[in-house]
Amino acid sequence: MKFVAEALNLSPIAARRLKEKNILKEAFIRHTFFGDVIEAVKLDRKFGEFEEGTLIAKTINGLEIVRGYPKIKRALTLYPTIRKHFRGEVVLEEKMNGYNVRVVKFGKNLYAITRGGFICPYTTEKVRMVMNSDFFKDHPNLMLCCEAVGEESPFVPKDVYGIKTIDFYVFDIRDKRTNKPLPIRDKEKLAEEYDFKLAPILAKVHVSKAHEVAEDVIRELGKKGREGIVVKDPKMKRQPIKYTTSESNCSDLSYAFRFFGEYAKDFMFSRIVREGFQAFELCEDEEEFKERCLRLGESILKAMVESIREVNEGKIVRDKIRLRFYDLDVLELFKEHVRRMGLNAEFSEPEEDGESYVVWFYRYMKSTTDRIDNILRGNLWQ
């Protein structure tokens, strides 16, 4: 804990207490794949100015702190919320549906840090293949905040983007030590210079008209099955806010009710409430409102009945995801990574596919399976 104490400016005793309270946890698996990192821990909860998911690493180049990505508050209404929180022009940026990754460089290599603060071997392998590392030679103090999206995502696989594998879209560029974001125009210039893909900017509009434009944007994104928008101040001086489409809410609900034993009630309830406020604000006609009700009901009931039928047939409820590895050592590292995350999972044998290996990742939903089985045996709901 000596390096943590030095990095956070704490006494060794205070650093040990963070470990004892489970605020500090191991953030990576020791292997030559992570050869530039000697030790690394993550903050499992907020501590002082440091966000949950902050990484503290001892690397071959010295101590590094990579701040956790700050939580973005959610709007349930577009009007008057946008007017209340912003001034002048605002930017409507697409909120892509994947998982949050911070990309940094330690020593000679790039590393991908997940929202929770883990250095993920699967994501790191893919980042090293597609991201221009020259950026970090020129800007060593910065980190790329990306959305990892595509069908071969281990955490949020989606086919709505037409990405068969996995790719990365930069939505913020921040100082990794202070978490200060660059203005959007600076982000755009750097993305162009280093050939990074950006989360699409869908509109730049004065705040007085932003809610009207956002309504149209949300409707169009919903038709494509996309997640929603993030409303940003072009200078990034004000905190962004996010807003999601009905289709995204229902997709989340479908997943949550399919595996209802694994997901908290707040996760489900919040999305149903979002639907209520959105239906009210968009002033839908009778036919549109009926369509929303059917979409919402189907997302809840259809997914749950599918799980009940599987257990009734003697099956275990599970999620099945296709992954791709280019190095079998990374597969073994990812298996250990999943185990450390506490997931109950199995992997198929790798199948060669050109220069890569395709593996099926089965995440078993034990709580959902056990609860359904218990009820089907005639026991009462508790």
Side-chain angles (χ1 to χ4, degrees), residues 279-297:
F280 165 77
E281 184 173 20
L282 296 187
C283 300
E284 296 171 329
D285 61 31
E286 186 175 342
E287 187 62 32
E288 289 174 321
F289 182 63
K290 183 178 179 180
E291 186 178 313
R292 181 186 292 270
C293 292
L294 290 172
R295 181 168 61 243
L296 177 62

Side-chain angles (χ1 to χ4, degrees), residues 3 7 56 70 103 113 148 152 155 178 192 251 260 281 283 300 342 360:
F3 80 99
I56 303 107
V103 180
I113 305 165
E152 292 178 349
F155 308 117
T178 67
E192 183 177 0
S251 176
F260 66 88
E281 184 173 20
C283 300
I300 293 171
W360 289 97

Side-chain angles (χ1 to χ4, degrees), residues 221-233:
L221 287 174
K223 291 175 184 177
K224 299 174 184 176
R226 303 291 184 91
E227 183 170 5
I229 59 172
V230 181
V231 186
K232 293 183 173 181
D233 166 23

Side-chain angles (χ1 to χ4, degrees), residues 44-283:
D44 219 36
R45 297 199 298 273
K46 190 176 187 301
F47 174 72
E49 67 175 331
F50 300 103
E51 301 81 2
E52 178 183 341
T54 293
L55 180 85
I56 303 107
K58 184 178 180 181
T59 76
I60 60 172
N61 290 342
L63 297 180
E64 295 272 7
I65 294 180
V66 181
R67 295 284 288 271
Y69 191 80
K71 291 183 179 179
I72 299 178
K73 293 186 177 180
R74 182 178 301 279
L76 293 191
T77 58
L78 296 168
Y79 180 86
T81 310
I82 297 176
R83 279 194 178 191
K84 183 174 182 179
H85 288 273
F86 296 96
R87 300 289 181 271
E89 187 180 62
V90 295
V91 169
L92 307 184
E93 182 177 276
E94 181 173 354
K95 185 181 187 302
M96 301 187 76
N97 202 343
Y99 62 101
N100 185 307
V101 174
R102 285 160 285 153
V103 180
V104 296
K105 188 176 184 183
F106 298 147
K108 297 179 180 179
N109 286 301
L110 301 187
Y111 292 88
I113 305 165
T114 62
R115 183 68 178 261
F118 288 107
I119 302 177
C120 173
Y122 182 84
T123 317
T124 294
E125 181 187 54
K126 308 306 176 291
V127 157
R128 289 178 182 178
M129 294 174 66
V130 302
M131 302 294 278
N132 185 350
S133 64
D134 288 344
F135 169 82
F136 297 98
K137 292 178 184 177
D138 301 332
H139 306 280
N141 60 315
L142 298 180
M143 62 179 173
L144 300 173
C145 303
C146 309
E147 198 74 7
V149 300
E151 293 184 34
E152 292 178 349
S153 159
F155 308 117
V156 190
K158 295 289 179 181
D159 61 5
V160 296
Y161 301 104
I163 300 170
K164 295 296 182 183
T165 54
I166 190 170
D167 210 345
F168 302 90
Y169 289 78
V170 175
F171 55 82
D172 275 357
I173 299 178
R174 291 173 172 259
D175 186 295
K176 62 186 176 185
R177 180 62 179 80
T178 67
N179 229 345
K180 183 179 179 181
L182 297 188
I184 287 176
R185 185 64 192 127
D186 292 351
K187 176 184 73 172
E188 290 176 317
K189 287 179 180 178
L190 288 172
E192 183 177 0
E193 182 179 351
Y194 295 97
D195 198 27
F196 296 138
K197 294 176 181 175
L198 283 178
I201 292 176
L202 306 173
K204 295 180 181 180
V205 60
H206 191 272
V207 69
S208 61
K209 296 288 184 182
H211 62 284
E212 297 173 359
V213 175
E215 280 190 20
D216 293 337
V217 167
I218 284 293
R219 290 180 191 274
E220 288 305 309
L221 287 174
K223 291 175 184 177
K224 299 174 184 176
R226 303 291 184 91
E227 183 170 5
I229 59 172
V230 181
V231 186
K232 293 183 173 181
D233 166 23
K235 295 181 179 179
M236 295 297 286
K237 298 291 186 183
R238 295 176 180 269
Q239 292 299 312
I241 59 175
K242 57 188 177 182
Y243 185 91
T244 46
T245 66
S246 173
E247 288 76 7
S248 176
N249 294 335
C250 290
S251 176
D252 286 352
L253 285 168
S254 180
Y255 191 84
F257 276 92
R258 173 95 164 91
F259 309 123
F260 66 88
E262 269 69 26
Y263 285 84
K265 293 177 182 177
D266 284 349
F267 179 93
M268 304 173 187
F269 182 68
S270 65
R271 283 156 178 79
I272 296 171
V273 171
R274 290 179 207 170
E275 284 294 284
F277 278 96
Q278 189 173 101
F280 165 77
E281 184 173 20
L282 296 187
C283 300

